[in-house]
Amino acid sequence: MDEPLPIDTGTSAEGQVPVAANDPVARVLIDHPVPHLARVFDYAVPEKLAEAALPGVRVRVKFAGRLRDGYLLERVESSDHLGPLATLQRVSGPVQVLGPDLLALCEATARRYGGTLADVLRLAVPPRHARGEKAVLKAEKDRAAGEGAPVGEGAPVGEGAPVGEGAPVGEGTRAADGPLLERFGRWLTDADTDIDHGTAQPPRRRALAVTPGTTPGLSWIRAGLNAARPHLEAGRGVLWLVPDHRELTVLHAGLRAAGIADVAVLSADQSPEQRWQSWLRGLFGHTRITIGTRAAAFAPVADLGLIICTDDANRNYLDQHAPYPHAREVTLLRSTIEDTELLFVATDRSAEVQRLVEIGWLADLTPIGPTRRHAAPVVFVPDEDRDPFAWQRIPSRAWQIMRTALHPRPRDGGVPGPVLVQVPRSGYYPVFACARCQEVARCPRCQATLTTQSEVGPFACRSCGYHSEEFTCSRCRSHQVRSIVRGRARTVEELRRALPDTEIVESGGDDISTVLDETPRLVVATTGAEPYVLGGYAAAILLDSLWPGPWMRSIDDSVGRRLRAAALVRSREQGGVVYLGDEDELIRSTLTAFDPVTFMSRQLADRRALGFPPYRRIIELTGSGTDIDAVLSELVEVEELLRDATEDGQRCVGAYPISAGDRVGTRAAEITAARSAKKQPQVRIRIDDPRSL
């Protein structure tokens, strides 16, 4: 007679450890770098941890003989696992860091970019710091007991409200800049409001391309404050993203001057303790506004009502850790999941934002016509036909503009001020020549000047699209090149000889200035390192051609960089002047009209016809050719566009419809996990990398 099957008596733990009476099974996401192991496993909840093991807390568990971190996602009654379960070893702190909204956002980001949930959580939740956590929990306890206010009640918005700790002072931000930042804030808030669209109830999702107006360089703060103030006064939260520490510094100063209460700041310049404290303060609702760089896109904000993303086209928003998410896309996902208002504000316009405007998902609040032109500086371009010296690196017209801005004549009524001289980054080769005969390198097709990023190429023409991995001089057939665009040091040397009595400030490399006062001086800065100036620059000389490389978005980047520099200059009503050294007609026409929206709209017309991003999504696969073919065979919705050789194998770029985004991302993650489990060579997958095409 057969023996009867054993009766399941419920969940049991290894070592006969007593388990919790209710929901004794914890579903734990293991924080593991190996893709097929970064998933959910069941563990028994010991009786002693029954009250502490709440959904969302961090835990420590034994996995493959080692202690590993994990997140407790939920507690359930039973497990599908047969036999006793391993137990939770301990709960790492009492804070439920992984709430439902954050979990949903991280899952959506993992699907969007073909990564694992553990990878995204590593970017979203900072490492725990016990001392910092203890201080915040004590403040939370005192706040709840002393004020009798529920957790999450917002602080008031008003004159003289306290400002939070942890003001960002990053590299290039000097301690002596404190008083100057206070002046910046007063200037910002005292200026007349010029960003007012007369809309009682603005659209919930909107985009705005700003001009210098009355606050050159800082109009984006004014626009953000206008959008944020109704939410703060109503007790709702605001999340504000900026691309780097310089913007974070001036934004914090602007919020302080506006009398906005305690601010949570999240930045890579902070210590682990400061960062964890700021993250927890936002989680508990000690602050109503959180500002930060790209990782702050995941930051908790109590009762979130508005997300502001400044300069969304900036490359700093693209994370360089798997699964390589872009902060703009994270904010779009979060706005949908948490049903918040959304504002994209910048001096330029990204292709992705413009597509959302064209399909009606975003409303465009950008001023047009005379209103926009009057709020922008006058832009001069070299005229080779009338000016015989326009070919010089600093033409006579540029010298005249500099001298007039530094020392205006009394009869002209101009106000003196600093002059920005923008030069290319070190290592940039926007114009180059043959190293043997000094002949300027020109395109063999259209005779326009060639451009490269390094001495070894690739070499390309912006006019006709010519591209070559090797340069050959048309005169002497040499393959060697040299740059004829002088760097920052050489430019400073020339300016000192021509204007010996003028102070010159350099900004770039390891010494980047954040803010300067209105003293008339020359400021020589590399691209992206231009300091903010109180009252704005009187003039700007934008030297040389700034071409980022042979990519589809190179012209977008060039226009964006020029617009960001020109936006630091006073408006034409205040006498602001910009001298533009670029030869590209698209850059000239866009800067002259100060109209990035029209420029991007025309760019998108061509990309729509060709099926290029942002009208389709792009996936980049890097690995051996055989492995890439194996992955592509399982991604049936991906169309291969190009393939080229790399040092480690091949690089393949494919495209797929936007509607298939989650399916392709999910399938890519499954393929990666399956190859990991089988110990097959991995193929690196990056989705929607701007440099893929």
Side-chain angles (χ1 to χ4, degrees):
M1 187 174 181
D2 295 335
E3 291 290 333
L5 293 175
I7 299 175
D8 185 8
T9 58
T11 302
S12 61
E14 293 177 349
Q16 298 182 347
V17 175
V19 298
N22 297 318
D23 296 330
V25 177
R27 308 202 70 223
V28 177
L29 174 69
I30 304 296
D31 184 3
H32 204 290
V34 179
H36 73 280
L37 299 178
R39 60 186 182 88
V40 177
F41 292 88
D42 290 346
Y43 284 84
V45 180
E47 190 176 30
K48 64 180 181 179
L49 297 179
E51 294 184 3
L54 301 173
V57 298
R58 282 181 165 129
V59 294
R60 294 276 282 176
V61 296
K62 278 191 176 180
F63 186 84
R66 294 180 56 186
L67 276 176
R68 287 201 172 272
D69 293 320
Y71 291 90
L72 198 161
L73 300 185
E74 61 176 334
R75 294 261 301 267
V76 295
E77 185 65 32
S78 61
S79 171
D80 294 335
H81 176 76
L82 297 178
L85 296 173
T87 59
L88 301 180
Q89 295 299 300
R90 68 172 179 266
V91 175
S92 303
V95 181
Q96 294 171 269
V97 296
L98 189 57
D101 287 339
L102 179 56
L103 178 59
L105 176 61
C106 292
E107 289 175 338
T109 304
R111 290 193 300 270
R112 169 73 170 78
Y113 286 96
T116 66
L117 179 57
D119 283 342
V120 179
L121 284 171
R122 217 170 289 131
L123 305 177
V125 184
R128 178 176 179 259
H129 193 283
R131 184 175 59 191
E133 182 178 292
K134 183 178 179 180
V136 175
L137 290 176
K138 183 179 183 300
E140 169 65 13
K141 182 178 179 180
D142 294 344
R143 178 171 175 265
E147 299 179 6
V151 176
E153 184 173 327
V157 178
E159 199 71 32
V163 178
E165 299 176 1
V169 180
E171 296 179 11
T173 305
R174 302 166 177 82
D177 288 341
L180 184 55
L181 285 170
E182 291 182 8
R183 291 184 60 199
F184 261 84
R186 291 196 299 271
W187 165 58
L188 183 68
T189 54
D190 291 344
D192 294 334
T193 301
D194 64 333
I195 306 174
D196 183 6
H197 307 285
T199 306
Q201 185 64 36
R204 287 180 56 78
R205 301 184 179 102
R206 50 204 185 271
L208 173 64
V210 296
T211 52
T214 57
T215 52
L218 299 180
S219 295
W220 57 274
I221 299 183
R222 301 265 311 288
L225 284 172
N226 287 346
R229 192 170 292 278
H231 293 272
L232 297 174
E233 291 174 347
R236 302 204 67 190
V238 174
L239 173 63
W240 196 330
L241 302 184
V242 292
D244 60 37
H245 72 85
R246 295 189 310 131
E247 279 69 34
L248 203 59
T249 301
V250 295
L251 174 58
H252 202 207
L255 295 175
R256 181 186 298 114
I260 293 177
D262 222 1
V263 179
V265 181
L266 283 169
S267 164
D269 297 325
Q270 295 172 306
S271 67
E273 181 178 0
Q274 287 177 325
R275 184 162 188 167
W276 186 232
Q277 283 184 322
S278 294
W279 201 90
L280 290 178
R281 290 171 66 225
L283 178 67
F284 290 136
H286 293 185
T287 61
R288 278 296 174 190
I289 183 165
T290 296
I291 62 176
T293 49
R294 64 182 178 227
F298 297 96
V301 179
D303 194 16
L304 181 61
L306 171 68
I307 302 174
I308 303 173
C309 184
T310 302
D311 189 16
D312 68 286
N314 195 295
R315 292 183 186 174
N316 289 334
Y317 281 128
L318 182 65
D319 207 302
Q320 296 306 309
H321 300 87
Y324 317 105
H326 196 289
R328 175 189 55 242
E329 305 303 316
V330 176
T331 60
L332 289 170
L333 291 170
R334 184 167 186 176
S335 173
T336 303
I337 291 170
E338 300 188 36
D339 191 25
T340 70
E341 292 190 15
L342 183 62
L343 171 64
F344 290 104
V345 58
T347 54
D348 61 343
R349 176 59 58 82
S350 68
E352 287 75 12
V353 167
Q354 184 61 24
R355 185 189 75 87
L356 293 174
V357 168
E358 291 184 356
I359 66 176
W361 201 84
L362 288 174
D364 194 358
L365 302 184
T366 302
I368 59 175
T371 302
R372 184 168 186 84
R373 287 194 295 272
H374 291 158
V378 176
V379 179
F380 289 102
V381 296
D383 188 343
E384 292 82 359
D385 297 332
R386 296 185 180 182
D387 185 359
F389 301 103
W391 58 271
Q392 295 179 339
R393 184 161 185 265
I394 306 181
S396 56
R397 185 62 177 274
W399 287 112
Q400 179 185 352
I401 290 173
M402 275 190 274
R403 292 188 175 98
T404 302
L406 293 169
H407 309 290
R409 293 176 296 184
R411 66 182 182 183
D412 294 335
V415 179
V419 176
L420 172 65
V421 180
Q422 186 193 56
V423 297
R425 293 183 185 272
S426 59
Y428 232 38
Y429 281 55
V431 181
F432 65 97
C434 173
R436 179 186 295 174
C437 68
Q438 315 304 316
E439 178 77 3
V440 174
R442 296 193 176 275
C443 174
R445 293 180 185 170
C446 66
Q447 296 305 304
T449 55
L450 285 177
T451 310
T452 183
Q453 287 187 295
S454 69
E455 295 179 351
V456 296
F459 308 95
C461 173
R462 290 173 297 167
S463 297
C464 69
Y466 171 80
H467 181 277
S468 176
E469 296 295 328
E470 184 180 65
F471 166 74
T472 302
C473 177
S474 59
R475 175 187 288 181
C476 67
R477 313 308 294 175
S478 170
H479 301 296
Q480 302 299 313
V481 302
R482 72 175 184 87
S483 171
I484 60 174
V485 172
R486 298 175 180 88
R488 177 163 49 97
R490 180 60 185 273
T491 302
V492 170
E493 182 182 327
E494 291 180 8
L495 293 172
R496 284 209 171 104
R497 284 201 304 264
L499 302 170
D501 298 328
T502 303
E503 178 190 0
I504 299 178
V505 175
E506 297 184 58
S507 180
D510 295 330
D511 187 15
I512 298 178
S513 299
T514 300
V515 294
L516 297 172
D517 61 26
E518 65 273 35
T519 303
R521 53 160 74 94
L522 291 174
V523 181
V524 182
T526 53
T527 307
E530 305 90 350
Y532 289 96
V533 166
L534 184 65
Y537 291 95
I541 311 299
L542 310 183
L543 298 176
D544 306 320
S545 179
L546 297 176
W547 184 62
W551 322 109
M552 182 187 70
R553 298 173 187 260
S554 61
I555 188 66
D556 305 0
D557 290 346
S558 297
V559 168
R561 290 170 175 175
R562 290 309 205 192
L563 281 169
R564 283 190 286 276
L568 299 169
V569 182
R570 302 167 186 168
S571 68
R572 66 180 63 201
E573 293 181 345
Q574 297 175 314
V577 178
V578 173
Y579 182 88
L580 181 64
D582 286 271
E583 298 179 359
D584 192 292
E585 286 301 324
L586 275 175
I587 298 177
R588 287 186 175 187
S589 61
T590 304
L591 264 291
T592 302
F594 224 88
D595 188 4
V597 176
T598 300
F599 159 77
M600 186 52 67
S601 180
R602 291 172 178 170
Q603 291 291 104
L604 289 188
D606 295 334
R607 297 176 193 178
R608 186 189 305 110
L610 296 171
F612 282 173
Y615 294 98
R616 285 201 295 177
R617 290 193 172 147
I618 295 298
I619 183 170
E620 179 182 304
L621 309 174
T622 306
S624 70
T626 304
D627 294 327
I628 290 176
D629 290 337
V631 173
L632 280 178
S633 66
E634 299 188 55
L635 297 174
V636 295
E637 294 174 291
V638 174
E639 173 192 355
E640 183 175 341
L641 299 181
L642 62 88
R643 189 179 296 207
D644 50 28
T646 65
E647 295 180 359
D648 302 324
Q650 294 183 357
R651 184 184 76 103
C652 172
V653 178
Y656 57 96
I658 292 177
S659 59
D662 280 0
R663 293 195 301 274
V664 172
T666 301
R667 185 61 188 139
E670 292 172 351
I671 294 170
T672 300
R675 295 181 67 86
S676 171
K678 297 175 183 176
K679 298 185 179 181
Q680 295 175 331
Q682 284 291 2
V683 174
R684 192 187 72 169
I685 297 177
R686 297 191 69 160
I687 293 178
D688 280 347
D689 187 335
R691 303 295 294 271
S692 293
L693 284 178

